[in-house]
Every structure is written in C-alpha cells, then in structure tokens.
Amino acid sequence: MVNWQTLFMVSLRRQGSSSRYKYKFNMEDITHRVFPRCKQAFKKTNLKYEYCDIGGSLYNISLMSLQKLLLRDINAADGNAFKIVRTDLVEKKSNNRIQHWEQIAPMFDHPLSLYEISLSEMNKEEFRPSFEWQQLIKVRSPDEKFKLERVIWPKSVFSNFCRGIGVRENTYDRLLKQNNGELPVFVNPANAKPLPLFKVTDETAIGEFDGIGIFPYFVDAHKTFFVTEIDKLKAKIASPLCNSNERKRNEKANTGRLLENEKGKPFYLDAKNVTSRVADGNITTLKHLLERSVSHKTLWSKQSTKDRTCPGDVLRSTVLSNDFSIRQLRNEFCKNFILYNIYTILQRNKKNTRDLTPETNITNFHFDWKVWDSYIWKQFQETESMEIPVDQVSLVNYRVKYDLFLEDLQTYSTLVIAEMKWNQSSIFQNDEAFLSRFEHIALVLQTILTKSRIIKTFQPNLYKFMQDDLQSTFFESVSFTDSINATIEPTFANEQSLQSANALKKFANQLLYFEQKIYAEKFHVSRPIQLRPLTLSDNYKIVILDKQNAMPEIFETLLKFMTQIKTYFVKDLAEVELHGHMHCIDKKMLDKSTFMYLYELKYNETLKTTPLPQEKIVDNIIDLLSNDTES
C-alpha cells in the first residue's frame, strides 16, 4: 500500500524555491479556470446536455449517488454539458440556482449548468429519468390476507409506474392454491391501486427475494407480460411521478436497501449499509464532505487566499476512491500536490527547450533513452491500454492502476531531479542532430501529463491546466508519440532491462523511505507544514551492500545525487563495519544479495528507538543473510 504522506514530503522537499511555482500559490487559479470554461460553453447555441436526474438537491446528494454522476462525467462525450433534473420537484422553482455551485462545479470534467430544473419541465418524449432498483418493499393484498415482505422496487418517486408484481413459479402456484384457485391482487403502497400477479420465468431477476415490481415503461423485458392491445398501450403510458405524500407512504413500506447486481447475477441485500457508507466521521453526503474538508484548508491555501475551498480534483478523486473519509481526502490532496510538482519540472525549464515548428522532421533526431525513461513509458502505455471505467467494479481496478502509476511517476521525477543535479553542466546541451538529455525527459513527461486519460479521469482541472500551460512548448506542435514508441521500446525489449529498471525503482523507493525516516516531519492540517533543515542529514549515512557487484555505475551515481544523505556502495560486509563510529538504525533486504543500511552517528540520540520484538527477528534474519558467503 502506497504511503502518500511520505511521498508528499519527498515532493515537498524537492519543490521549486520560487513562490510562482508553489502549489498553494497556484491552486486557486487552477480550480477557478472552471468558471470561464463553463461560461464559454453555455454561450454555444448547439450545446448538447447530459441530463442527470436526482431525488434532491445536488448539495445534499449521497456520495454513492455522486460517484455514479461522476462515472457519467467520465464517459460523457467531449463538448457535452451537465444539467441536473430534480425528480423530487413536482413544480418549477422560482429560484433554480444550484446551491454552492462554485464549490461543486470544479468536481466535474464537463461544464455543470448553474441552474437545475424540475422533472415536470422536461419533455417526456425526449427525456426518461434514470431507473434503478434500489430498495425492497412490503406489499399486501387489500384484505391483508397475503403479504410479500421483500419485493424488489426502484426509487420511490417511480412507484406510480408499477403495473404488477412478478413472482417465481412456486410462489405463483402457492398463492393461487391458497386463494382457492384465484390469483390474489396486491396493493401499490404509494397510491393504493391494485397490482395483478405475474409469473416470472427468469428467476435470477428475483434471486433470494419474494418478488419484483413490474415496470414496463422502463424495463423492456416487462412488456412481455402484456399481450392485448389495450394492455400494451397501458404499459407505454407514462404515469405522474409520486408526490411527497405518495413517496412517504412508499417509504413506510421499505424493508431494506439493495446493491446493484452484476450482469446476469441476482440482486443482494445491502446488509452492511454500503449505500450510505459511513467512514471516519459519518461522511455520507457531499454537504458533509465539503464541511469536513474546511478543517484541512491550510494544506491547499494560504491565509490570504480568497477561496479556501478544497480543490475540485481532490474532492472528485475522494468520491471516486470508494473511501468516503477525511483520511482519504488527505491522501487525494497528496496525490494532487505530487502531480503538480512533477509538472513544475517542465514549467521551470521551458527556456531550456528549443523552438521547433510543425515542419520539423523529427526522424532526423538521434534518441538516447535511459532505462528509467523506458520503464515509466512502459507503465504509461499499460495504463493507457485500460478501458475507461463504466461502473463501480471497473472503477476500483482503474483506481488501483492509477495509484501504482502515480507512485512510479513520482519515483521517475525524483530520479530526473537527481540526474539534473548530477549533469547540471551538460543536461541542456543539444545540437541539430541530438536532443539534449532534458529534452528527452521533457518529451516523456509532457506526453504523459498532457495525454494521459487516467490523469484526466481523476484530476481533470490540473490536467487541463497542464495542457494549457505546456501547449506553447515545441512538443505540443509536433507529435512525438510515434517516435518515442519507435526508439524507446527497443531499449527495453529484453528481460535484463526490465529487471534492471525494477531494481533501480526498489533502490530509489527505499532511499526515499530512509530519507523520510531521518527528517520525520509531521503531516499537520491545523497549521502549515514545516520542513526540517537539510543539514539534519549530516548525522546519517546510507550504505548499500551489493554482494555480487551487479549494480551499474550509472545507478550508483544517480542514487548518490537523489538525496542529501551521504550514500556509500560496498561489496563486502567488512567494508560496512568500517563505519564503526556509527550505529545501524534500520536495514532492508532488497534481494538475496543486496541490502541497504541506515546509520546514525553515535552522539546523535534523537531518533534512536528500541526495535519491537518482531522487528528484531527481521533484523537478525537480514544479518544472517548479509553475512552469508555465496559459493
């Protein structure tokens, strides 16, 4: 599991010194760019809307329902806009402005209309509200002789559309027998209208429950129950949505909530109340999330910032994470911060890339890729090959891949910064035939930051900001993707290259872990986070034991420039013991012949701790392995 707060500290220590490049000085502007984009979109005469019906105000929407809206946002066509349709409003409101629109609109990739409308204002021929099975209800016969306790039912607002109750064959036969050969009729709890009984042949539609409401207006399969012309006509006629009294009567008949079924599988009961997920302080609605996020405003804003609302990308990715907690909101902030700081590597060095025109023949250039370029490009290609999520199941998988990719991208950026320190005198040198080393880096980073669908999915505002800001550079005017694929993949084609890249990633990540252990800054939310002085690292040393002397020299040099901590590479444990004036406070086995040790000067006692028993056992095993002589 990724420790995002550790990676946040790593990123914070490497951010640009000028305030113009710092996260807090730019995040308000990045978020507020949503507003002119929305304004521009709604000036279009041929704007196409995605109508989203909800049963209350958007500000009070449940986070599970908001997640479904955001999934629609992810899959909506470019150029479309979103408009909220209120199914709980029978009549048009005098004030139809969306409450707290300025805080909510930045959560959407597509423009969100400032105004909502009631369902009664919609053209019923052109718009049909979304229909979902959401609950179980109890239905009774008029004389209350027969009851079905758990009948699958949609939102209460659609109860008037019900035309009957479907049951399994054995239930159908039992009720027929119990009623002396006559089919009993049940009563719609919302409007008291009679509901005839139907035999359902596909029992998977009912699953473990007693029956299912028949809604032919919404469910095509239910139309087969109506055979006469008059019945077919009745099935097509739209009923009025339930008024508040009818909804209340239906909700009194509620006997449970449902979770969506997977395709071809029955529904199942929401026994753990997942649909109103409670986590870390009862955050169940957007209103709660916005209110709770205020306590963390020092993370993303200065005291002088006018709008200290949580950035829309952070709120969006929290809802898409499936973990509706403040803890997760902190993690999503860290990811947003990390990605922004990766972008500033390009922003700070625009002047160091040459000007090219679209007519430039890029095939004339010679490319010289490093193994860390090849590795991150391979990860990028894998993420881009994934299908965009359309439901919660695919969203979970997409989310896991995004987290792993962002962690790799952060590692790549720290390696790049180390390389820039190492080769600061030559990294920007280029000529007519060769791209500079930095232009190679910029080529990879800019392509990822401005073309990645997975970044756009979770952080659309930052993604668009990066696109806008980087479009003036030479890479935007020339398509380099084919050239990268043609030249980078041959350098990463063999198994040895892959193993080498994975080894470098392990070394780099462990080095960063040791770095954070030394500085050990606290992740504050009540006041600005303060970094400890870099001179603190003078009291520490990192020793890497490479028993097989397998590490390439370029890796050794790169890792030495990756951190302020003095780093040594040795081939024998006896060489480690030369540092006898220090004591080991942490160690890590990376593979059977490679070990990393963190040493502290003996007179510096501030970070010394007594290892826990299980940690002592692990240390002993590592000691035995590191002392083992291979034949």
Side-chain angles (χ1 to χ4, degrees), residues 50 103 165 209 217 388 467-468 522 587:
E50 293 263 345
Q103 293 176 286
I165 303 294
F209 305 116
Y217 183 79
I388 295 293
Q467 278 193 323
D468 292 344
K522 299 296 183 184
K587 61 187 76 172

Side-chain angles (χ1 to χ4, degrees), residues 388-579:
I388 295 293
V390 295
D391 53 29
Q392 192 182 70
V393 174
S394 56
L395 176 62
V396 169
N397 296 331
Y398 203 63
R399 179 75 200 201
V400 170
K401 188 64 178 177
Y402 170 68
D403 283 1
L404 293 174
F405 176 64
L406 185 56
E407 181 188 20
D408 284 341
L409 193 60
Q410 162 70 344
T411 303
Y412 176 74
S413 73
T414 55
L415 289 169
V416 162
I417 292 170
E419 189 182 356
M420 292 174 72
K421 290 178 181 176
W422 170 21
N423 294 319
Q424 55 185 302
S425 62
S426 61
I427 198 163
F428 299 113
Q429 291 177 2
N430 58 31
D431 58 35
E432 291 183 1
F434 288 88
L435 295 175
S436 71
R437 175 61 195 140
F438 182 77
E439 285 171 339
H440 282 78
I441 293 165
L443 183 52
V444 170
L445 276 181
Q446 178 158 325
T447 304
I448 290 172
L449 296 179
T450 63
K451 306 295 182 188
S452 171
R453 294 187 306 165
I454 205 165
I455 290 175
K456 183 185 178 187
T457 296
F458 294 105
Q459 304 200 35
N461 294 309
L462 182 53
Y463 175 80
K464 289 170 187 171
F465 174 79
M466 293 187 296
Q467 278 193 323
D468 292 344
D469 187 64
L470 297 174
Q471 68 180 356
S472 60
T473 63
F474 79 103
F475 296 121
E476 186 63 25
S477 61
V478 185
S479 176
F480 275 95
T481 306
D482 292 341
S483 293
I484 299 177
N485 286 331
T487 57
I488 204 169
E489 289 183 3
T491 68
F492 205 63
N494 58 66
E495 186 66 23
Q496 186 177 356
S497 295
L498 179 60
Q499 290 176 357
S500 181
N502 280 323
L504 179 60
K505 175 188 168 183
K506 279 185 185 179
F507 282 120
N509 288 343
Q510 186 59 36
L511 207 62
L512 296 175
Y513 169 78
F514 280 170
E515 178 184 279
Q516 181 56 25
K517 181 164 186 171
I518 289 171
Y519 292 110
E521 294 99 344
K522 299 296 183 184
F523 189 87
H524 296 294
V525 297
S526 58
R527 61 183 186 275
I529 296 168
Q530 297 294 324
L531 291 175
R532 300 180 74 183
L534 294 177
T535 52
L536 186 68
S537 64
D538 293 345
N539 296 318
Y540 299 87
K541 286 182 173 62
I542 292 173
V543 175
I544 298 175
L545 171 62
D546 179 14
K547 295 171 69 176
Q548 293 186 344
N549 195 23
M551 184 179 293
E553 187 177 345
I554 190 173
F555 285 11
E556 291 188 8
T557 308
L558 190 63
L559 292 170
K560 284 179 179 178
F561 278 91
M562 194 172 175
T563 178
Q564 290 285 115
I565 311 161
K566 293 183 178 68
T567 304
Y568 298 87
F569 295 83
V570 297
K571 305 179 188 67
D572 191 279
L573 198 61
E575 296 178 62
V576 177
E577 291 167 355
L578 293 176
H579 301 276

Side-chain angles (χ1 to χ4, degrees), residues 52 54 56 58 69 82-86 98 112 115-117:
C52 305
I54 60 176
L58 185 56
L69 277 188
F82 274 57
K83 187 176 273 292
I84 299 300
V85 180
R86 292 278 296 273
I98 291 178
L112 174 68
Y115 302 100
E116 61 190 12
I117 58 176

Side-chain angles (χ1 to χ4, degrees), residues 14-59:
R14 288 160 176 80
Q15 71 176 346
S17 57
S18 171
S19 60
R20 63 181 291 202
Y21 300 124
K22 290 186 178 179
Y23 180 89
K24 287 185 182 182
F25 286 80
N26 291 280
M27 195 42 56
E28 184 182 24
D29 174 52
I30 292 172
T31 300
H32 282 194
R33 290 190 179 203
V34 168
F35 306 140
R37 280 202 299 268
C38 287
K39 188 176 180 180
Q40 194 66 31
F42 293 117
K43 285 181 179 178
K44 296 178 182 177
T45 54
N46 58 344
L47 183 62
K48 187 174 181 181
Y49 283 104
E50 293 263 345
Y51 291 102
C52 305
D53 56 291
I54 60 176
S57 74
L58 185 56
Y59 182 55

Side-chain angles (χ1 to χ4, degrees), residues 96-108:
N96 62 342
R97 195 179 191 278
I98 291 178
Q99 188 181 9
H100 299 285
W101 178 85
E102 291 81 3
Q103 293 176 286
I104 300 172
M107 295 179 66
F108 286 79

